[in-house]
Amino acid sequence: MPYFVEVILPLALDKTFTYSISQAEFHFIKPGMRIAVPFGKNKIYTALAKETHERVPALYEAKEIHQILDETPIVNTIQLQLWDWIASYYMCSLGEVYRAALPNGFILESETIITLSSNSKYEVSDLNDDEYLILEALQQQSSLKVNDISSILNKKNVVSVLQKMLSKNIISLQEELYENYKPKLVKYIRLHDSFKSDATLNSFLQNVKSEKQKKLVLAFFQLKGIDKNPISIKKILEYSNQSKAILNKLIELQVFEEYTLTQDRTDFVSDGIKDNFELSKTQQTAYFQIKDAFESKDICLLHGVTSSGKTEIYSKLIQETLLEGKQVLFLLPEIALTTQLVSRLRKFFGNQVAVFHSKYNSNERVEVWNQVLHSSEKAQVVIGARSALFLPFSNLGLIIVDEEHEQNFKQTDPAPRYHARDTVTVLAKFHQSKVLLGSATPSLESYYNIKNQKYALVELTERYNHTPLPEVLLIDLKDKYFRKKMKGHFSDVLVDEIASALALGEQVILFQNRRGYAPLLECMTCGHVPQCPNCDVSLTYHKFKNQLRCHYCGHSIAKPTHCHACSSVDLTTKGFGTEQIEMELASLFPNKNVFRMDQDTTRGKFGYEKIIDKFQNQEIDILVGTQMLAKGLDFSNVSLVGILNADNMLYFPDFRAFERSFQMMVQVSGRAGRADKRGKVVIQTYNPNHNTIQQVAYNNYKAMYEEQLYERQIFKYPPYYKLIKITLKHRDFDKVKESAQWLAQVLKQHLTTPVLGPEEPSVNKIRNEYIRTLMIKIPETVSVVQTKKTIQKVLNSFDVISQYRSVKLVVNVDVL
């Protein structure tokens, strides 16, 4: 009797594939195991077993598998259920979900580029023949493909050899090259074997002429007496107050020997883990309300003003879940921005906290994956960005989504374009666990779910320690420019407030949601503005690099000395970004440290952490930044926040512009006065009477919610309607226009719901591809499942038309 296995391939293909297996393999293979399978003419992919069966495929002859890569499943059945839901709900293929869910280190394929690991340590004697041949080839040339390795070894299947070399850290995949991950190596010293006897040591101390060398050796023994742990070079030099040259001389004389230990980044040694959570009365009330809410509902929204101490409540709930022997998932919008939170939770839970995000290299991600899979002590609490929801939890008790309103929870490219907040509610159902959403400015959709009795609501209306919310000053820029009371882009009020805060030794945060020096450079003679040749946007001027740069495709040119159209030298910049603010501050406050935090200054793996640490240690007086500053950071010495132009965000062509502006301004304002002193927020605007700005000034979330909800209902937007956006891209303008019109016409014929478009977006060309979009609005009364099935049928027909086959289609469900 023939036996088969159904597998998921890491490719954007709509279906699973059937492969032939032996009877022994049939009884061994479990869903969630990786299997190397041939696909196409000569490619091998790492597929994932979905099920074993005895049904012969009707349309093709099943090929045999190459090899089983795992002894036990690395993906559990709950994950496979979640993958099916994501593929169905977000209209993508299972292969795309598989590719997004598993760390790269698990997915080897014949297109993978393999290089020698930069920090590999191995003994040639430990290598087998195949591994030695690969190593020799990689020493001759810098990188090889899996196919090249097949030729060298004269074997079709080399996946298992590569897997072993990868686990020994001899080779690495090319995907990791740009991440430049290096393990944290700490240098230690110990006595050399020849000096371990008392006689040799006494003899050395009596005969040594250098007092400094003698002091260093004695300091080593003093430290040994105090602390039994290994002694690091840094520690001995600080303790003995001697130079590195003296220590090097002692190593040369073979008194000491140097060795290194890898300090595991996921390990945490604390001075003592705190067991007690001291909650204020208000926090205690909120905590019990959440506990009560979880009795009747699975999802609860904690709506607490900024600095109300939500993290302490989270910690108490985490502690309780851990005591029940269950795991906790803590999702954050951007892991790079949450260094503070990770360290705060580790103070409570020590080494039970694991971190998972895309800045980790492949080996680290695989390590955390395995810890979660085996319910290791090290991964009882997992803090991560949106991708952490794909981890193989087996006993999940609580999911916390902090700053749930953040749009970073929605994946944009590549597929699956899932929303982490919505996906974890489904994951929680599979695990029968609870979900806690937290925010000072909840999304309209979440708040609407409370009104519909889907979620429970708990509110924290006052700050921790009863610190009042910051005082908000609205500055009318029209009036200030008219009265000539502006210094650059700063009103006299803002300059005075900054000066008085700095005089008291306090720190200042200034917000301008645009990086670079100026958004455009214009010729004053003919009005020409340099454009990106690949995209339909003007180039942004970056003064520090003296170049014009496109923020969409990265194209850059040196700043022109004359106009490219009329050769005039009369060029001027329009608008302002963070670089310009930084320069103006340097001239207004020359003796103060001004620092900028945007995408340009935080590119490195630890770029963000360095700036945060400097600001925390009060080495920076004024921090200028973009929306990065709006995330839940906690600085006790910040007394003033300035928003330089509130109108930038308000007049953006997006139905969520007012909601996002409110959230952004309230979140930025929340950075002021987080300790005992009341902070101040200065908002500069041309329209101080605008409803949204007034709602920010009085921190009136309910008024914003009701106003926006009324408009959403009239204009058919979420939460009353679900949105599906279809984007078409092609290098040929006419082809994308024609294909979009065909698709819109067919969709309108088959759907009863509104179909808008085809429309050119505001930026209608990116990376030389022209863009057209269609928007489908599905009301609450219409079945979303049936509508999606109809859309999928139309898209399948579109793919069949030969002249449209080269047009790229992107489907985005619940578009943000």
Side-chain angles (χ1 to χ4, degrees):
M1 184 180 282
Y3 296 99
F4 301 98
V5 61
E6 206 69 29
V7 301
I8 306 165
L9 285 165
L11 302 168
L13 299 165
D14 287 332
K15 54 184 179 180
T16 55
F17 289 83
T18 310
Y19 283 84
S20 168
I21 50 174
S22 67
Q23 188 177 358
E25 288 169 335
F26 177 80
H27 293 298
F28 181 77
I29 292 172
K30 301 280 180 292
M33 283 185 176
R34 288 172 306 149
I35 301 171
V37 298
F39 189 76
K41 280 186 180 174
N42 52 12
K43 283 183 184 170
I44 296 163
Y45 286 100
T46 307
L48 197 83
K50 196 162 189 258
E51 61 163 333
T52 50
H53 59 81
E54 295 168 20
R55 302 184 301 275
V56 180
L59 300 172
Y60 54 90
E61 191 181 330
K63 291 181 181 178
E64 287 185 7
I65 64 165
H66 258 305
Q67 192 184 357
I68 301 166
L69 298 174
D70 297 308
E71 288 180 19
T72 53
I74 60 158
V75 172
N76 62 39
T77 48
I78 289 178
Q79 282 175 289
L80 290 171
Q81 282 177 282
L82 183 71
W83 292 9
D84 280 330
W85 180 85
I86 291 172
S88 156
Y89 186 84
Y90 289 105
M91 297 180 72
C92 61
S93 66
L94 256 179
E96 288 169 316
V97 183
Y98 167 35
R99 187 146 205 124
L102 252 70
N104 280 342
F106 280 133
I107 306 174
L108 278 170
E109 57 191 52
S110 54
E111 292 171 328
T112 307
I113 304 282
I114 287 138
T115 56
L116 263 182
S117 184
S118 56
N119 55 343
S120 57
K121 288 181 181 174
Y122 53 85
E123 292 294 331
V124 176
S125 56
D126 293 343
L127 304 178
N128 62 32
D129 292 352
D130 287 347
E131 290 170 347
Y132 183 78
L133 283 170
I134 295 170
L135 183 67
E136 203 174 38
L138 283 169
Q139 284 165 345
Q140 299 297 319
Q141 65 187 79
S142 59
S143 63
L144 293 168
K145 289 185 178 175
V146 176
N147 288 340
D148 302 340
I149 289 171
S150 292
S151 311
I152 293 163
L153 301 181
N154 201 18
K155 281 184 180 177
K156 256 191 174 183
N157 180 23
V158 293
V159 176
S160 55
V161 181
L162 293 176
Q163 199 80 350
K164 281 177 191 166
M165 292 183 81
L166 202 59
S167 64
K168 290 178 187 174
N169 201 22
I170 300 168
I171 58 168
S172 63
L173 311 183
Q174 198 201 13
E175 284 93 324
E176 306 313 323
L177 292 181
Y178 67 89
E179 288 182 352
N180 286 329
Y181 168 72
K182 287 176 186 160
K184 193 173 181 182
L185 294 172
V186 179
K187 290 180 178 177
Y188 291 89
I189 56 158
R190 58 188 167 210
L191 272 180
H192 197 276
D193 289 346
S194 53
F195 276 85
K196 282 191 176 167
S197 71
D198 292 349
T200 327
L201 200 60
N202 286 333
S203 158
F204 171 78
L205 290 169
Q206 282 162 11
N207 298 327
V208 70
K209 290 173 184 175
S210 165
E211 273 302 310
K212 289 180 176 178
Q213 287 181 10
K214 191 183 277 187
K215 271 185 182 174
L216 210 147
V217 174
L218 291 170
F220 175 81
F221 284 103
Q222 285 169 349
L223 270 177
K224 264 289 184 209
I226 300 165
D227 190 354
K228 300 294 177 208
N229 292 322
I231 294 168
S232 69
I233 287 178
K234 186 183 177 186
K235 195 172 183 180
I236 184 97
L237 294 178
E238 279 175 6
Y239 186 78
S240 63
N241 205 17
Q242 300 298 330
S243 70
K244 181 81 165 59
I246 304 292
L247 182 62
N248 287 345
K249 188 68 187 166
L250 286 167
I251 292 167
E252 205 179 296
L253 292 168
Q254 293 194 333
V255 176
F256 291 126
E257 63 177 343
E258 187 182 298
Y259 66 105
T260 56
L261 290 176
T262 302
Q263 192 169 317
D264 188 349
R265 281 197 175 85
T266 61
D267 269 354
F268 174 73
V269 180
S270 68
D271 302 330
I273 294 168
K274 296 182 187 174
D275 296 328
N276 56 329
F277 296 91
E278 288 178 17
L279 299 182
S280 67
K281 265 190 178 177
T282 330
Q283 287 174 325
Q284 196 82 41
T285 310
Y287 166 72
F288 286 120
Q289 283 175 345
I290 293 167
K291 294 288 295 167
D292 291 344
F294 280 156
E295 293 296 319
S296 57
K297 289 197 167 55
D298 292 334
I299 304 166
C300 178
L301 173 68
L302 176 60
H303 180 198
V305 294
T306 52
S307 192
S308 55
K310 293 189 283 289
T311 311
E312 281 70 26
I313 297 172
Y314 297 156
S315 303
K316 183 82 173 155
L317 288 161
I318 291 169
Q319 184 190 38
E320 203 167 85
T321 311
L322 293 180
L323 288 172
E324 289 170 11
K326 292 184 175 180
Q327 296 163 306
V328 177
L329 172 61
F330 197 134
L331 286 188
L332 297 152
E334 282 183 57
I335 200 70
L337 311 182
T338 49
T339 323
Q340 287 183 323
L341 191 112
V342 173
S343 60
R344 275 163 80 180
L345 284 184
R346 280 187 165 164
K347 272 183 188 146
F348 294 126
F349 306 109
N351 228 4
Q352 289 180 294
V353 179
V355 182
F356 185 86
H357 57 84
S358 57
K359 284 266 174 101
Y360 270 16
N361 80 349
S362 190
N363 291 338
E364 284 176 304
R365 289 205 291 267
V366 168
E367 203 176 288
V368 176
W369 182 283
N370 286 331
Q371 285 172 359
V372 176
L373 183 67
H374 300 120
S375 297
S376 154
E377 269 300 307
K378 279 188 176 183
Q380 291 303 300
V381 181
V382 177
I383 302 177
R386 56 179 181 250
S387 57
L389 65 86
F390 289 114
L391 286 166
F393 296 99
S394 52
N395 190 15
L396 195 56
L398 175 68
I399 302 171
I400 297 169
V401 184
D402 197 21
E403 308 295 350
E404 64 84 27
H405 65 276
E406 274 291 336
Q407 62 199 73
N408 290 5
F409 281 124
K410 172 79 169 155
Q411 163 89 353
T412 46
D413 276 312
R417 293 172 182 83
Y418 63 96
H419 197 303
R421 181 196 63 219
D422 301 341
T423 308
V424 294
T425 58
V426 177
L427 179 66
K429 274 183 192 165
F430 293 144
H431 279 280
Q432 295 180 334
S433 57
K434 304 295 180 188
V435 179
L436 179 63
L437 309 175
S439 177
T441 52
S443 64
L444 252 69
E445 285 84 346
S446 295
Y447 216 75
Y448 181 73
N449 280 333
I450 291 160
K451 303 294 179 197
N452 278 359
Q453 306 291 311
K454 283 186 185 176
Y455 298 177
L457 173 68
V458 174
E459 292 184 299
L460 271 173
T461 50
E462 61 178 53
R463 284 184 151 192
Y464 190 66
N465 278 348
H466 305 288
T467 310
L469 285 165
E471 175 192 352
V472 179
L473 305 176
L474 298 180
I475 307 299
D476 187 349
L477 287 175
K478 288 197 297 290
D479 181 59
K480 292 295 176 188
Y481 274 114
F482 180 74
R483 295 174 189 274
K484 300 202 166 32
K485 288 189 173 179
M486 296 291 290
K487 291 181 182 174
H489 294 97
F490 293 83
S491 61
D492 54 344
V493 177
L494 184 52
V495 173
D496 293 345
E497 290 292 350
I498 293 171
S500 56
L502 295 175
L504 293 167
E506 292 162 349
Q507 290 166 295
V508 177
I509 285 177
L510 295 175
F511 175 76
Q512 168 60 11
N513 206 14
R514 179 172 268 147
R515 63 189 173 102
Y517 183 85
L520 51 93
L521 189 73
E522 186 180 24
C523 169
M524 295 305 283
T525 310
C526 72
H528 173 74
V529 175
Q531 299 284 317
C532 172
N534 310 320
C535 310
D536 181 32
V537 286
S538 58
L539 296 172
T540 303
Y541 175 41
H542 288 250
K543 195 179 182 93
F544 286 93
K545 291 186 176 176
N546 199 34
Q547 60 175 209
L548 298 178
R549 175 178 286 275
C550 172
H551 286 177
Y552 282 87
C553 69
H555 171 80
S556 63
I557 57 168
K559 187 200 170 192
T561 51
H562 59 273
C563 172
H564 290 159
C566 71
S567 299
S568 163
V569 291
D570 191 6
L571 302 176
T572 185
T573 59
K574 290 282 171 76
F576 65 102
T578 47
E579 279 186 16
Q580 196 165 337
I581 298 303
E582 186 185 17
M583 289 181 73
E584 286 181 13
L585 283 167
S587 61
L588 286 169
F589 303 99
N591 304 322
K592 297 296 176 186
N593 279 336
V594 180
F595 219 89
R596 177 165 53 94
M597 186 166 81
D598 55 29
Q599 217 175 318
D600 300 319
T601 59
T602 55
R603 286 197 188 280
K605 183 171 181 178
F606 299 111
Y608 182 86
E609 281 88 332
K610 282 173 191 166
I611 297 172
I612 293 297
D613 288 344
K614 276 187 178 179
F615 198 61
Q616 196 103 47
N617 300 335
Q618 298 179 22
E619 294 168 39
I620 298 169
D621 298 306
I622 306 172
L623 186 60
V624 183
T626 56
Q627 63 187 18
M628 286 183 170
L629 290 172
K631 313 294 160 68
L633 299 169
D634 191 356
F635 303 114
S636 54
N637 197 38
V638 173
S639 66
L640 176 70
V641 166
I643 297 173
L644 288 148
N645 190 344
D647 308 308
N648 267 3
M649 299 171 281
L650 283 174
Y651 302 114
F652 197 73
D654 178 13
F655 72 92
R656 281 194 173 89
F658 289 172
E659 180 194 356
R660 285 201 183 136
S661 301
F662 176 87
Q663 288 167 343
M664 190 80 74
M665 285 190 265
V666 169
Q667 291 285 345
V668 174
S669 306
R671 306 308 116 214
R674 292 175 76 88
D676 302 326
K677 190 186 166 189
R678 188 182 188 192
K680 259 189 190 172
V681 181
V682 177
I683 300 176
Q684 296 189 159
T685 171
Y686 286 98
N687 194 354
N689 295 321
H690 191 287
N691 274 2
T692 304
I693 287 172
Q694 287 293 323
Q695 286 153 3
V696 171
Y698 293 102
N699 196 28
N700 193 345
Y701 176 82
K702 297 250 171 69
M704 186 278 297
Y705 167 76
E706 278 157 15
E707 183 191 339
Q708 292 308 306
L709 206 66
Y710 175 70
E711 287 197 359
R712 301 274 180 95
Q713 190 166 15
I714 293 171
F715 297 110
K716 300 180 179 176
Y717 280 113
Y720 297 102
Y721 281 71
K722 282 202 175 291
L723 299 184
I724 297 177
K725 183 180 177 185
I726 300 174
T727 307
L728 298 93
K729 300 178 187 178
H730 200 274
R731 285 173 174 261
D732 184 335
F733 178 82
D734 293 325
K735 186 167 276 192
V736 80
K737 185 179 173 185
E738 188 190 321
S739 60
Q741 281 170 343
W742 183 92
L743 188 59
Q745 200 177 341
V746 178
L747 282 170
K748 283 171 185 172
Q749 285 169 3
H750 286 80
L751 293 174
T752 53
T753 54
V755 177
L756 306 183
E759 192 55 64
E760 280 189 19
S762 50
V763 179
N764 71 352
K765 186 176 122 184
I766 296 174
R767 292 188 179 88
N768 279 323
E769 288 184 322
Y770 292 97
I771 303 168
R772 282 283 190 283
T773 57
L774 295 164
M775 187 75 82
I776 299 154
K777 294 182 171 181
I778 309 168
E780 291 175 300
T781 51
V782 174
S783 162
V784 178
V785 176
Q786 282 307 118
T787 308
K788 283 180 185 171
K789 279 181 183 171
T790 310
I791 294 168
Q792 194 57 61
K793 277 180 190 170
V794 174
L795 295 180
N796 293 344
S797 322
F798 181 87
D799 286 341
V800 173
I801 301 168
S802 56
Q803 69 259 40
Y804 300 154
R805 208 167 281 162
S806 57
V807 177
K808 285 184 196 165
L809 270 181
V810 173
V811 181
N812 196 344
V813 178
D814 293 345
V815 63
L816 282 186

